[in-house]
Amino acid sequence: MDSLLQLKAEATKEVEASKDLDALEQVRVAYLGKKGAIQEKMKGLGQMDPEERKSYGSELNQLKNQVTELIEKSKKALEKAALDARLASESLDVTLPARQKEEGSVHPVSQVIEECTEILANQGFEVVYGPQIEDDFHNFTALNIPPEHPARQMHDTFYFPEDEKGERSVLRTHTSSVQIRYMENNKPPYRVIAPGRTYRCDSDITHSPMFHQIEGLYIDKNITMAHLKGCLINFVQQFFGVDEVPVRFRPSFFPFTEPSAEMDIGCSRAQGDFKIGGDDWMEILGCGMVHPNVLKNVGVDPDEYQGFAFGIGIERLAMLKYGIADLRTFYEADIRWLEHYNFAPLDIPTLTGGLSR
Ligand code: DAH
């Protein structure tokens, strides 16, 4: 019994001597922990006869409760002291201006995709999507680009390693693959657009290894080149917000269209200033009448259906509309560039667009 009194006296002394929470924790472990002094004594209970065990056990429990209480009290006091010290040492100036919160904003590429989608949706096009990792069939073969055809070299393709069957997936080189996927799974007529990322091994001021396109496809029984021109001229007029956009259609070649053309916008790049109008031209899209072979490849009868397709370069449009001279700056994530060219998040795309910051 005496030894318990002594233990209590020691514990009390040590608790009182603890000047901080760490020291107090050590005292707690020394007395109440699994291998602490009180626990050790508990182990001795087993050897005692029942009478003795009962009274000693109850003393021991009491001691345990007292020490626990002592430590709790001391802990509260130490915590309060620590808080008081912090409050005394720190000051809060409620008159300081609030810290500015960084706000997310909309990249010109996203903005232009929104604008194009809105204009083309008003012309009756529906938005569809396809995968960025494509197989050879959808990216090339079905588009009338057979294996070993030189046209494949027009696209500096990123290939994946061969699979067990010896086939290589590709990062799609254009959104034209989405035409194929859509036609495979739907019955004509078709009037869809497919915005998305595309990839080619290419990098200079007008080419980046990853860039964006919007594919367009309009197939019905009597769609002609005149519809193609009307659709695209109307599109650029609305996109740039002016009636007199200088445009030209240049004959071109794509294996999946016949005839094929490219559409250029008149622009000027004088003194690093980049804008529409002027005696230079910038290509913004490829287009043409969908090749009969492409329709056959997806089970559509070219004697019954015909129409046009186009693939717009999004970054090109953004450069022209917002005066951005170097394509590579789009992806550098330079915060100053983003602050200058990005759009406020709540701006609703308008048909006339325009800088809104
Ligand atoms: N896929 C072509 C490219 O990336 C662009 C293109 C041209 C798409 C003609 C079309 C088209 O749909 O008809 O260069």
Side-chain angles (χ1 to χ4, degrees):
M1 199 64 55
D2 284 353
S3 75
L4 289 192
L5 279 178
Q6 200 187 330
L7 203 57
K8 185 181 170 190
E10 278 167 15
T12 310
K13 218 169 94 193
E14 285 186 42
V15 168
E16 281 167 0
S18 301
K19 291 286 168 258
D20 58 40
L21 290 165
D22 283 346
L24 188 65
E25 174 63 9
Q26 280 175 23
V27 178
R28 191 192 64 78
V29 172
Y31 287 90
L32 300 171
K34 267 203 197 115
K35 291 187 178 146
I38 294 177
Q39 205 58 37
E40 286 301 314
K41 294 228 180 288
M42 295 266 186
K43 285 183 194 152
L45 287 174
Q47 276 93 56
M48 296 179 176
D49 64 53
E51 273 309 301
E52 200 186 354
R53 185 189 306 154
K54 206 172 161 197
S55 69
Y56 191 72
S58 118
E59 295 288 344
L60 208 51
N61 256 332
Q62 227 182 337
L63 173 64
K64 187 177 162 188
N65 291 340
Q66 286 165 345
V67 174
T68 305
E69 208 177 301
L70 219 60
I71 289 178
E72 278 306 308
K73 247 171 85 182
S74 170
K75 190 172 170 197
K76 284 207 181 103
L78 286 172
E79 279 171 352
K80 183 169 181 305
L83 184 62
D84 287 346
R86 243 185 84 189
L87 289 176
S89 69
E90 288 175 6
S91 60
L92 186 65
D93 182 352
V94 293
T95 66
L96 279 177
R99 242 177 237 152
Q100 184 119 35
K101 259 206 194 147
E102 295 293 341
E103 209 180 47
S105 52
V106 178
H107 194 278
V109 166
S110 306
Q111 173 80 12
V112 167
I113 290 177
E114 288 282 324
E115 292 171 8
C116 293
T117 303
E118 175 157 323
I119 296 165
L120 292 165
N122 282 342
Q123 288 192 18
F125 287 86
E126 182 192 340
V127 181
V128 297
Y129 298 96
Q132 295 179 38
I133 297 177
E134 261 303 357
D135 53 39
D136 195 89
F137 177 76
H138 291 90
N139 196 80
F140 294 120
T141 310
L143 286 159
N144 200 34
I145 319 179
E148 314 315 327
H149 190 287
R152 288 197 185 212
Q153 272 129 43
M154 286 163 57
H155 296 192
D156 297 304
T157 313
F158 287 115
Y159 284 98
F160 283 81
E162 279 184 9
D163 62 16
E164 324 74 67
K165 285 184 250 143
E167 284 161 16
R168 292 184 298 177
S169 297
V170 299
L171 285 177
R172 68 178 177 200
T173 58
H174 49 188
T175 44
S176 303
S177 53
V178 188
Q179 289 184 29
I180 302 299
R181 290 197 175 267
Y182 185 77
M183 290 193 286
E184 276 176 338
N185 294 309
N186 295 278
K187 293 215 166 334
Y190 307 117
R191 202 190 317 180
V192 291
I193 52 172
R197 291 187 176 164
T198 52
Y199 302 85
R200 288 179 207 174
C201 287
D202 216 349
S203 184
D204 61 39
I205 72 162
T206 50
H207 296 91
S208 127
M210 188 280 295
F211 58 102
H212 298 76
Q213 291 186 334
I214 291 189
E215 192 74 15
L217 176 70
Y218 192 174
I219 304 283
D220 207 336
K221 296 207 161 148
N222 46 19
I223 299 300
T224 69
M225 193 96 187
H227 295 110
L228 162 66
K229 288 185 76 176
C231 163
L232 292 174
I233 290 171
N234 175 280
F235 166 75
V236 292
Q237 285 170 344
Q238 294 202 48
F239 179 78
F240 291 106
V242 283
D243 290 339
E244 295 300 319
V245 185
V247 299
R248 83 180 173 191
F249 284 87
R250 240 180 329 103
S252 183
F253 170 76
F254 299 104
F256 32 94
T257 44
E258 182 58 37
S260 305
E262 279 168 314
M263 185 181 189
D264 299 338
I265 302 281
C267 62
S268 84
R269 304 171 203 242
Q271 290 122 28
D273 195 23
F274 194 46
K275 53 175 195 263
I276 58 169
D279 39 15
D280 215 349
W281 296 96
M282 186 185 215
E283 176 209 328
I284 58 154
L285 60 85
C287 59
M289 299 303 291
V290 175
H291 197 292
N293 287 350
V294 173
L295 296 175
K296 280 187 213 150
N297 288 341
V298 294
V300 172
D301 180 0
D303 291 329
E304 197 183 350
Y305 286 98
Q306 63 179 38
F308 64 81
F310 55 86
I312 309 176
I314 295 299
E315 283 82 352
R316 301 283 181 92
L317 285 186
M319 290 169 82
L320 277 169
K321 184 162 176 179
Y322 299 116
I324 306 170
D326 185 343
L327 175 71
R328 290 168 299 194
T329 57
F330 278 76
Y331 313 109
E332 283 168 358
D334 179 332
I335 210 84
R336 292 161 306 173
W337 189 95
L338 294 170
E339 274 169 2
H340 183 75
Y341 288 112
N342 271 16
F343 293 82
L346 290 181
D347 282 350
I348 295 155
T350 59
L351 289 183
T352 48
L355 282 172
S356 47
R357 274 205 156 194

